[in-house]
Amino acid sequence: MLQIYFLSILLNVVAGLILVYATDFTAKKSEAAEVAGAENLDSEAEKNSDDSTDGEGDSVFDKKLQFAINSKGTFFDDMTFRLVVAILSGLTGILKLLSTVQNDVPVIGDLIPAVAGLAACFALLIEFYIQKSNVELKFPAFLTTVFIGGRKYLGIFCIIAGVLHFIFPRVLFL
């Protein structure tokens, strides 16, 4: 099952990069709304100061170009992309626990990459739920500390697990 092996490496690294470098959407929605409102006011002020008075409105192409220039996010900030990565990481983590690669020890042979994939899945799903839900859910202190507060450390763990799994494919637990 080399396909699952390479998919596990890819998803662990991508999920780790998302957890380390992408925007943290677990902050309160009100804070995010305040920041977005301030950015909109700043961008409108800049737009009004730069407008020419030629009497014609902006064309659709100009508006799209301006939006593309002013948008600060990357595809890592897209919630759909994050949801797909989370689901695939979880499925791959489960498959890594159940399948083996060429005479490897079942379950513990790929334990660290499987746990990294499942942890990244859980962290990204929690983040997706917090972002999209109207209901505030209280998580236990342990889950909040590990999966929300320590998301950067979890991301570093996922990246290291993916890279080491690629470099040392037959090491036990890796």
Side-chain angles (χ1 to χ4, degrees):
M1 299 292 293
L2 287 176
Q3 298 88 350
I4 302 299
Y5 168 75
F6 287 116
L7 187 63
S8 170
I9 293 168
L10 175 72
L11 289 172
N12 279 340
V13 171
V14 169
L17 290 173
I18 289 172
L19 290 172
V20 172
Y21 292 112
T23 305
D24 184 8
F25 290 122
T26 57
K28 293 181 181 178
K29 292 180 185 178
S30 61
E31 292 174 5
E34 290 174 8
V35 171
E39 287 178 358
N40 286 340
L41 291 176
D42 291 341
S43 66
E44 286 182 20
E46 289 175 7
K47 184 177 178 182
N48 289 338
S49 66
D50 293 340
D51 282 344
S52 61
T53 57
D54 59 356
E56 294 182 17
D58 291 336
S59 69
V60 175
F61 178 75
D62 291 339
K63 289 180 182 178
K64 287 182 180 179
L65 181 63
Q66 189 67 25
F67 175 75
I69 292 170
N70 286 338
S71 64
K72 298 175 184 175
T74 62
F75 66 95
F76 281 156
D77 291 336
D78 184 23
M79 291 306 291
T80 305
F81 178 74
R82 289 184 183 200
L83 181 63
V84 169
V85 169
I87 292 170
L88 289 177
S89 292
L91 290 174
T92 306
I94 292 171
L95 287 174
K96 290 296 283 180
L97 288 175
L98 300 177
S99 67
T100 61
V101 177
Q102 298 174 356
N103 301 328
D104 202 3
V105 180
V107 179
I108 62 170
D110 292 328
L111 186 63
I112 293 175
V115 168
L118 291 171
C121 169
F122 194 66
L124 289 172
L125 287 177
I126 286 175
E127 184 178 41
F128 182 82
Y129 179 78
I130 289 172
Q131 178 68 21
K132 295 295 182 178
S133 176
N134 293 332
V135 179
E136 187 172 331
L137 185 64
K138 295 289 184 184
F139 293 105
F142 172 74
L143 293 179
T144 304
T145 303
V146 173
F147 293 106
I148 296 174
R151 71 189 299 265
K152 292 193 185 285
Y153 300 115
L154 184 63
I156 292 169
F157 170 69
C158 290
I159 293 170
I160 290 172
V163 169
L164 288 179
H165 190 52
F166 181 72
I167 295 172
F168 306 111
R170 297 193 184 239
V171 173
L172 191 61
F173 297 112
L174 208 80

